[in-house]
């Protein structure tokens, strides 16, 4: 309240000043217009300002409505003449567009995507209904493009946003009808591909009428109600678990099979290697046997050579032994002959010497018989030179050395001894036996 | 149990008695051998009280018979010094392996390098060689092998020529190659891993080829640039041997290009050997490698073009692994035909100038190459084979060195391993009978051979090394 009062007070105080200012401004404007219209300088200034304004307006028009426009690749343009009402199709490149005469509509020929944004979530603004009456959110994506052949005829009625104004109304009903014919489980898991196919089959002709070619329909994420999701997910988990088990078993079985195959391959490889090694051993053994076969003849020759050498050696030794035996025989013969000759010569010598001895004895006997003392002389000669001997006629005992010879004194020949005896200064030998005994 | 040990006693003598009481007259619980570990639990009357975890038995040993170490980082220098000494001490392999195990336990991870594994591998390798001596009177050997086995050193037994050979499986050497190591250590490792006598003779051709491929890869991991010439020689000799075997294996499987490469590599490796720097103990291996290379060198020989008129030798595949040789002329019927399971070397085909004889080298086994001679006797053609030696096929080759100008004589070079020794002979054979007319141990000892041997053979052969 205080603020309002203060404001009224300020306005009440400032009202007179404002009125005075407005009056002065209106007076200044009227004076300016009069100057512009009535004075020469004012008229020149007015013309200049007019021309400048026209140039500015024209420039602005050309900038905002360029007379030449570029049609990009993958675009098609429909140029409509506003004066005649005719239209023409223009393709990629430059196109003339007279401002305020031509109007150009550009359409993309590229594939475009429409996604059901409002029906993505079960608790969203426009969820789909399943056969059980449950609200579900389904992400449906349609890929479509405009039919380039039909663009000229449809150009008049094609909206700017084809997706929102043509595709969405056509598709929405079809989608809802189809989803309403299937259970959540079918949509969620089992009939997804079939539903997709059915929807595509039904939508394609509908869109074709509007010059739209449907490329594909894809069912993406399915958003279930929370409670149902838990149940279904549990159920699916069970199924998936069973499925997983089946796949696991299959995988295991395949792994077992793979191991078997690997083992088999390894076994085959080992067998091949062993076989190769065995073959190589056999080849080496055969080569060795072959080499041995080549050596054998030489060994046999060597053995034969040695045998021949041994035989030659034997023959040579036999010959040598025979020669040695012959030589020994000849030697023995020679020796026997030599001995016989020796014996003969010995016998002859004995005979001759015997004869000579006999003759000598005969001569000695004759000499002794003629000179009996000769014996004693001879004996005396044989005695030591230390003994002086005098030959004397023998005594009755006879022989001078009878004592020495152990003869009796009455020796026969002493009896026959000639007169005279040998006298010896040597003492008569003792008749006692010597300590050595008699010899 | 061993993981919890802190103080160990390593037995350093052979044999040592584990006594039941600290007295010499006490009952002997067990006989211990060098290299074994014992847990030290105390000391009494000049004896160490120990526990043998292997036999699960406590007892006493004399202090001077063992060396005591704590398994901690401070003991590493001592253990390393002893291991360095034992590495080159014959007869102490088990003790060295025991020390190596102790060092592995005591050293932190960053100090365990290729040198330690080189020492361990060297010891294990020498122990295996000791066990493979023909007439061993080594009584402690069995016990030493057992001690080595206790530390995880794996020694495998192979049956060869009626006797058992012990070989080290090479685990430590593999680690040396993986961790790096000095060039000498890598060479030792590569040579030990690729010892030909440690390849199981019972292996089939497929496994044998796989082993040879692996041996080739191992030998490729050693760089000879920083090695002294006499050591590099060993690597070249081994490479020549392995690649010669691979050339045959790959040709047998029809892998021609791979076979050519392997053969070229074998010939090149043999050519890299400096004879003036060849160690005395390597001469035998060098001769054997040369024979192997000579047996398969034809793989890298290009196929000669047919020159002049005369019969042509054609090769064709028959059954798997079998090659058929067909000697033919312009007529349809072959003059002579023979199939073989050996590898026929097309690069070895030679003909006399008058076309009266055709020769070809056929490799029957990995190291055994024969010379097949097709020759004319009147109107007929016959095939005779020349073998490297009249022994059981093993290691040897015979190759054509040329023809006499009139084609009545064949010049051949033969090399074969007979009773463990490589014997070489250069012979002049009568073509009709293939009986040697002249034979010499060196080409220059036979004037005929010297005069008629072909320049091409002299340029390519490995028999005149």
């Amino acid at each position: 309240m205080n603020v309002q009062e203060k404001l009224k007070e300020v306005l009440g105080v400032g009202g007179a000043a404002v009125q005075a200012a407005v009056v002065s401004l209106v007076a200044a404007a009227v004076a300016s217009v009069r100057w512009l219209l009535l004075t020469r300088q004012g008229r020149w200034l007015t013309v200049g300002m007019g021309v400048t304004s026209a140039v500015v307006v024209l420039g602005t028009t050309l900038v905002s409505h360029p007379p030449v426009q570029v049609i990009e690749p993958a675009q098609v343009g429909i140029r409509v003449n506003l004066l005649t009402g005719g239209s023409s199709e223009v393709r990629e490149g430059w196109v003339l567009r007279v401002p305020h005469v031509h109007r150009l509509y550009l359409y993309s020929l590229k594939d475009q995507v429409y996604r059901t944004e409002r029906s993505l979530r079960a608790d969203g603004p426009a969820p789909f209904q399943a056969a059980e009456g449950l609200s579900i959110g389904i992400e449906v994506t349609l890929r479509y493009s405009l039919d380039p052949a039909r663009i000229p005829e449809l150009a008049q009625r094609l909206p700017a946003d084809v997706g929102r104004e043509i595709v969405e109304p056509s598709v929405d009903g079809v989608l809802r009808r189809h989803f309403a014919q299937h259970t959540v489980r079918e949509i969620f898991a089992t009939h997804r591909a079939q539903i997709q196919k059915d929807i595509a089959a039904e939508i394609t002709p509908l869109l074709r009428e509007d010059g739209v070619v449907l490329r594909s329909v894809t069912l993406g994420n399915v958003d279930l109600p929370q409670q149902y999701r838990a149940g279904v997910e549990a159920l699916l988990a069970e199924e998936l678990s069973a499925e997983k088990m089946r796949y696991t078993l299959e995988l295991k079985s395949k792994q077992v099979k793979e191991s078997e195959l690997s083992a088999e391959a390894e076994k085959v490889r080992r067998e091949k290697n062993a076989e190769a090694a065995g073959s190589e051993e056999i080849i080496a053994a055969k080569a060795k046997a072959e080499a041995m076969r080549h050596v054998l003849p030489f060994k046999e020759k060597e053995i034969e050579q040695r045998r021949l050498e041994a035989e030659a050696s034997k023959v040579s030794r036999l010959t040598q032994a025979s020669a040695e035996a012959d030589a020994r025989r000849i030697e023995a013969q020679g020796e026997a002959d030599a001995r016989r000759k020796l014996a003969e010569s010995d016998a002859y010598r004995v005979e001759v010497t015997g004869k000579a001895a006999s003759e000598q004895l005969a001569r000695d006997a004759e000499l002794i018989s003629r000179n009996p003392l000769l014996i004693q002389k001879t004996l005396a000669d044989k005695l030591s030179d230390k003994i002086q001997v005098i030959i004397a006629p023998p005594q009755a005992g006879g022989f001078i050395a009878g004592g020495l010879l152990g003869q009796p004194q009455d020796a026969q020949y002493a009896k026959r001894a000639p007169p005279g005896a040998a006298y010896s200064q040597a003492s008569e030998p003792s008749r006692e036996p010597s300590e050595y005994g008699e010899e | 149990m061993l993981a919890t040990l802190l103080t160990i006693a390593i037995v350093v003598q052979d044999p040592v008695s584990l006594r039941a009481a600290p007295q010499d007259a006490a009952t002997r619980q067990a006989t211990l051998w060098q290299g074994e570990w014992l847990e030290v639990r105390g000391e009494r009357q000049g004896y160490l009280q120990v526990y043998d975890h292997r036999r699960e038995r406590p007892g006493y040993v004399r202090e001077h018979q063992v060396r005591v170490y704590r398994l901690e980082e401070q003991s590493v220098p001592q253990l390393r010094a002893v291991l360095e000494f034992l590495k080159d001490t014959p007869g102490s392999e088990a003790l060295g392996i025991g020390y190596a195990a102790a060092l592995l336990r005591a050293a932190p991870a960053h100090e365990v390098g290729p040198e330690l594994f080189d020492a361990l591998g060297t010891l294990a390798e020498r122990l295996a060689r000791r066990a493979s001596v023909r007439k061993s009177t080594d009584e402690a050997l069995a016990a030493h092998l057992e001690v080595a086995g206790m530390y995880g050193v794996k020694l495998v037994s192979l049956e060869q020529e009626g006797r058992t050979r012990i070989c080290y499986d090479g685990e430590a050497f593999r680690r040396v190659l993986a961790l790096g190591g000095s060039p000498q250590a890598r060479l030792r490792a590569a040579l030990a891993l690729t010892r030909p006598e440690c390849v199981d003779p019972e292996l089939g051709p497929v496994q044998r080829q796989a082993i040879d491929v692996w041996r080739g890869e191992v030998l490729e991991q050693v760089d000879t640039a920083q090695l002294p010439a006499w050591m590099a020689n060993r690597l070249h000799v081994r490479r020549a041997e392995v690649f010669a075997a691979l050339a045959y294996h790959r040709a047998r499987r029809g892998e021609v290009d791979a076979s050519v490469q392997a053969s070229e590599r074998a010939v090149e490796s043999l050519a890299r050997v400096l004879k003036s720097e060849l160690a005395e103990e390597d001469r035998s291996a060098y001769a054997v490698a040369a024979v192997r290379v000579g047996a398969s060198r034809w793989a890298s020989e290009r196929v000669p073009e047919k020159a002049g008129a005369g019969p042509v030798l054609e090769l064709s595949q028959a059954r798997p692994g079998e090659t058929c040789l067909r000697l033919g002329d312009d007529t349809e019927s072959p003059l002579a035909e023979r199939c073989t399971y050996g590898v026929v070397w097309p690069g070895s085909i030679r003909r006399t100038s008058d076309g009266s004889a055709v020769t070809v080298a056929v490799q029957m086994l990995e190291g055994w190459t024969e010379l097949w001679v097709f020759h004319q006797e009147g109107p007929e053609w016959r095939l005779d084979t020349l073998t490297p030696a009249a022994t059981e096929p093993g290691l040897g080759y015979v190759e054509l060195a040329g023809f006499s100008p009139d084609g009545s004589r064949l010049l051949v070079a033969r090399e074969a391993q007979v009773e463990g020794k490589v014997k070489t002979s250069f012979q002049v054979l009568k073509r009709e009978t293939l009986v040697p007319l002249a034979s010499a141990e060196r080409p220059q000892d036979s004037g005929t051979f010297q005069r008629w041997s072909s320049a091409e053979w002299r340029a390519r052969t490995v028999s005149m090394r």
Side-chain angles (χ1 to χ4, degrees):
Chain A
M1 290 299 289
N2 290 337
V3 174
Q4 287 178 354
E5 285 172 2
K6 279 193 180 218
L7 192 61
K8 283 179 181 177
E9 191 180 338
V10 169
L11 288 173
V13 174
V18 170
Q19 285 175 0
V22 169
V23 170
S24 62
L25 279 173
V26 170
V30 171
S32 298
V33 169
R34 286 186 63 196
W35 181 80
L36 286 171
L37 293 174
L38 297 178
T39 63
R40 194 163 172 260
Q41 286 179 333
R43 283 197 293 271
W44 277 110
L45 184 62
T46 304
V47 170
M49 284 173 67
V51 170
T52 305
S53 301
V55 169
V56 168
V57 168
L58 185 65
T60 307
T61 305
L62 288 176
V63 169
S64 60
H65 298 87
V68 176
Q69 198 166 339
V70 177
I71 310 290
E72 298 292 340
Q75 273 189 333
V76 64
I78 301 297
R79 189 174 57 184
V80 180
N81 192 319
L82 299 177
L83 298 177
T84 62
S87 65
S88 62
E89 183 185 346
V90 286
R91 295 280 177 173
E92 179 184 348
W94 295 98
V95 60
L96 181 68
R97 197 184 77 166
V98 181
H100 307 296
V101 176
H102 290 145
R103 187 171 290 170
L104 185 67
Y105 298 99
L106 292 176
Y107 298 99
S108 174
L109 295 178
K110 290 180 183 174
D111 285 358
Q112 296 172 64
V113 171
Y114 165 74
R115 187 176 283 107
T116 52
E117 301 289 351
R118 297 169 62 244
S119 313
L120 291 177
R121 297 186 59 79
D123 54 356
F128 295 111
Q129 301 293 317
E132 301 97 327
L134 287 168
S135 296
I136 53 170
I138 305 173
E139 183 190 8
V140 183
T141 306
L142 284 88
R143 196 161 57 86
Y144 66 92
S145 66
L146 295 176
D147 187 355
R150 297 189 59 201
I151 283 175
E153 67 177 85
L154 297 170
Q156 300 294 335
R157 55 189 178 91
L158 268 179
D161 188 352
V162 175
R164 196 169 57 80
E165 295 184 27
I166 291 179
V167 178
E168 186 177 352
S170 308
V171 164
D172 194 54
V174 175
L175 291 178
R176 289 184 187 283
R177 185 157 34 81
H178 272 277
F179 291 136
Q181 292 168 0
H182 294 277
T183 62
V184 174
R185 194 158 169 275
E186 287 171 348
I187 298 166
F188 185 72
T190 57
H191 287 191
R192 182 182 283 243
Q194 187 58 44
I195 293 167
Q196 213 168 267
K197 194 176 168 185
D198 294 346
I199 290 170
E202 190 168 345
I203 291 174
T204 303
L206 290 176
L207 291 179
R208 195 182 296 128
E209 288 173 8
D210 295 322
V212 177
V213 179
L214 183 67
R215 304 279 184 203
S216 68
V217 177
T218 310
L219 298 188
N221 183 43
V222 177
D223 185 46
L224 300 171
Q226 193 56 40
Q227 293 153 347
Y228 187 85
R229 179 198 295 271
V232 168
E233 281 186 355
L235 189 65
L236 282 176
E238 287 295 327
E239 284 186 13
L240 284 172
S241 163
E243 195 76 3
K244 187 180 173 185
M245 181 54 73
R246 199 173 69 245
Y247 283 126
T248 306
L249 288 172
E250 276 182 26
L251 188 67
K252 287 282 179 197
S253 146
K254 282 178 181 172
Q255 281 175 346
V256 168
K257 204 168 180 64
E258 188 184 3
S259 301
E260 278 177 12
L261 290 170
S262 299
E264 191 67 28
E266 179 66 20
K267 179 186 162 190
V268 168
R269 195 174 60 78
R270 278 206 312 270
E271 281 176 359
K272 289 281 178 198
N273 285 348
E275 194 181 330
S279 301
E280 292 206 21
E281 291 212 19
I282 289 165
I283 290 162
K286 282 180 175 174
K288 189 164 187 174
E290 201 177 333
M292 198 71 211
R293 268 205 316 276
H294 293 161
V295 167
L296 276 174
F298 293 99
K299 284 190 82 74
E300 283 167 6
K301 276 183 187 174
E302 198 175 286
I303 291 163
E304 182 67 15
Q305 181 73 19
R306 283 186 185 165
R307 193 179 61 78
L308 290 171
E309 281 174 7
E311 277 184 12
S313 169
K314 177 185 166 186
V315 168
S316 128
R317 279 162 60 189
L318 277 173
T319 310
Q320 195 175 348
S322 168
E324 281 175 3
D326 287 347
R328 279 203 294 274
R329 205 175 299 116
I330 290 163
E331 275 176 14
Q333 186 71 38
E335 200 173 332
D337 289 350
R339 282 186 181 162
R340 197 170 55 248
K341 292 281 183 195
L342 200 60
E344 283 175 3
S345 69
D346 278 352
Y348 179 74
R349 185 175 54 79
V350 167
E351 189 180 350
V352 170
T353 51
K355 278 183 182 177
S358 302
E359 287 172 4
Q360 180 66 34
L361 277 172
R363 281 198 298 273
D364 287 350
E366 191 184 347
L367 191 62
I368 288 166
S369 65
R370 280 204 304 267
N371 302 299
L373 287 176
L374 194 59
I375 296 171
Q376 298 185 26
K377 178 188 178 295
T378 306
L379 183 64
D381 286 345
K382 291 195 183 289
L383 292 173
S384 170
D385 57 349
K386 306 286 183 198
I387 301 168
Q388 202 171 22
V389 178
I390 299 165
I391 304 295
Q395 295 174 357
F399 188 52
I400 183 175
L404 289 172
L405 298 170
Q407 291 176 343
Q409 290 298 317
D410 52 350
Q412 292 301 315
Y413 63 86
K415 288 178 185 178
R416 294 193 306 265
Y423 176 77
S424 172
Q425 284 186 337
S427 58
E428 191 176 329
S430 172
R431 299 289 300 268
E432 293 175 8
S434 70
E435 59 181 310
Y436 301 108
E438 291 185 359
E439 297 179 348
Chain B
M1 181 59 77
L2 287 175
T4 61
L5 293 184
L6 277 179
T7 307
I8 59 160
I10 300 182
V11 179
V12 294
Q13 290 182 5
D14 275 335
V16 169
S17 297
L18 182 71
R19 302 283 177 189
Q23 296 163 10
D24 283 343
T27 311
R28 188 167 63 188
Q29 301 273 67
T31 303
L32 306 173
W33 301 88
Q34 60 169 247
E36 289 196 56
W37 283 10
L38 303 165
E39 181 193 353
V40 179
R41 289 187 170 178
E43 194 176 353
R44 285 179 60 193
Q45 302 166 27
Y47 277 81
L48 280 179
Q49 187 181 2
V50 295
Y51 187 85
D52 184 350
H53 284 278
R54 189 175 146 212
R55 298 175 180 83
E56 295 183 347
R57 203 167 295 173
Y60 295 86
V61 289
R62 280 277 184 197
E63 279 186 337
H64 67 267
Q65 295 173 326
V66 296
R67 298 289 179 275
V68 179
Y69 296 97
R70 287 186 66 76
L71 290 180
E72 56 193 16
E73 202 169 339
Q74 285 73 21
S75 308
V76 168
Q78 298 174 49
L79 291 167
R80 197 186 292 280
V82 176
L83 181 60
E84 279 296 316
F85 171 75
L86 292 173
K87 180 184 164 186
D88 300 315
T89 309
S92 300
E93 290 81 17
L95 181 59
I97 289 168
Y99 267 94
L103 187 53
L104 271 170
R105 284 289 316 282
H110 64 270
E111 283 192 32
V112 176
E115 300 82 13
L116 172 56
F117 289 112
D118 178 39
L120 182 59
T122 306
L123 289 162
E125 177 78 5
R126 202 169 57 234
L127 180 61
R129 278 208 303 272
R130 235 177 83 193
S132 302
V133 174
R134 278 183 185 276
K135 293 177 181 176
S136 175
T137 54
D138 200 341
E139 292 176 358
L141 180 62
H144 288 187
L145 289 172
E146 200 177 340
V147 171
M150 185 183 79
Y151 291 117
V153 172
K154 194 176 173 188
L155 299 164
V156 294
S157 302
L158 299 173
E159 279 291 325
Q160 281 183 351
E161 298 166 3
R163 69 188 191 93
T164 303
R165 174 180 288 280
I166 306 292
C167 286
Y168 174 48
D169 77 336
E171 175 62 26
F173 289 127
R174 286 192 183 89
R175 289 179 187 275
V176 170
L177 289 175
L179 294 171
S182 65
Q184 284 83 354
R186 292 179 71 78
L187 175 73
R188 273 195 296 275
L191 291 176
L193 286 170
T194 59
R195 284 177 67 193
E197 57 268 32
C198 283
V199 176
D200 190 353
E202 298 301 315
L203 288 178
V206 176
Q207 298 94 326
R208 181 73 203 226
Q209 180 178 352
I211 289 275
D212 282 338
V213 168
W214 177 80
R215 289 168 78 207
E217 287 169 359
V218 168
L219 291 169
E220 293 291 34
Q221 293 182 37
V222 183
D223 181 20
T224 56
Q226 297 175 357
L227 288 170
W230 66 274
M231 288 181 95
N233 277 349
R234 290 181 175 175
L235 186 73
H236 294 317
V237 165
R238 186 65 54 82
R239 275 182 183 166
E241 183 183 310
V242 170
F243 284 111
L246 277 176
Y248 166 73
H249 285 308
R250 285 173 170 160
R252 197 173 46 79
R253 299 188 67 163
E255 299 164 4
V256 178
D257 294 341
S259 171
V260 169
Q261 284 174 6
S263 174
E264 283 173 351
R265 194 74 207 282
V267 173
E268 180 206 347
S269 298
L270 193 72
R272 283 180 181 274
V273 175
L274 289 174
K275 280 196 71 180
S276 57
E277 294 292 334
L278 198 62
E280 188 182 356
E281 60 269 27
D282 297 335
R283 292 190 185 282
S284 160
Y286 174 62
V288 168
V291 174
R292 287 192 183 279
V293 172
S296 61
R297 76 173 178 89
W298 295 108
S300 55
E301 294 286 335
R302 60 181 183 80
V303 180
E305 293 176 10
K306 180 181 178 291
V312 178
L313 190 65
E314 291 171 348
L315 310 180
S316 60
Q317 292 299 317
R319 286 170 293 188
E322 192 178 34
T323 308
C324 285
L325 296 89
R326 182 180 182 277
L327 187 74
D329 51 8
D330 299 337
T331 59
E332 281 193 10
S333 58
L335 302 172
E337 198 168 17
R338 173 76 73 88
C339 294
T340 177
Y341 281 97
V343 175
V344 183
W345 295 118
S348 66
I349 298 172
R350 298 287 182 274
R351 294 189 313 152
T352 54
S353 55
D354 59 351
S356 59
V358 179
T359 65
V360 62
V362 181
Q363 188 163 356
M364 308 306 295
L365 307 175
E366 186 190 302
W368 187 260
T369 301
E370 299 174 347
L371 185 70
W372 288 19
V373 184
F374 293 88
H375 56 109
Q376 199 170 9
E377 280 193 356
E380 295 296 317
W381 280 79
R382 59 176 292 183
L383 169 62
D384 283 318
T385 56
L386 281 173
T387 59
T391 58
E392 188 173 341
L395 186 62
Y397 71 91
V398 53
E399 63 184 8
L400 183 85
F403 297 103
S404 64
D406 61 354
S408 64
R409 303 278 186 276
L410 262 73
L411 279 62
V412 296
R414 289 182 175 189
E415 278 203 287
Q417 192 177 31
V418 182
E419 293 170 355
K421 288 184 179 178
V422 173
K423 291 185 178 176
T424 310
S425 61
F426 300 90
Q427 298 178 329
V428 180
L429 310 180
K430 194 175 180 184
R431 198 202 69 199
E432 290 85 0
T433 58
L434 299 181
V435 171
L437 299 173
S439 184
E441 287 188 0
R442 295 183 307 169
Q444 53 267 38
D445 293 345
S446 168
T448 311
F449 198 96
Q450 188 81 330
R451 193 164 55 251
W452 289 340
S453 56
S454 69
E456 176 220 17
W457 171 78
R458 284 198 299 271
R460 304 286 296 170
T461 186
V462 295
S463 59
M464 293 169 63
R465 52 189 178 273

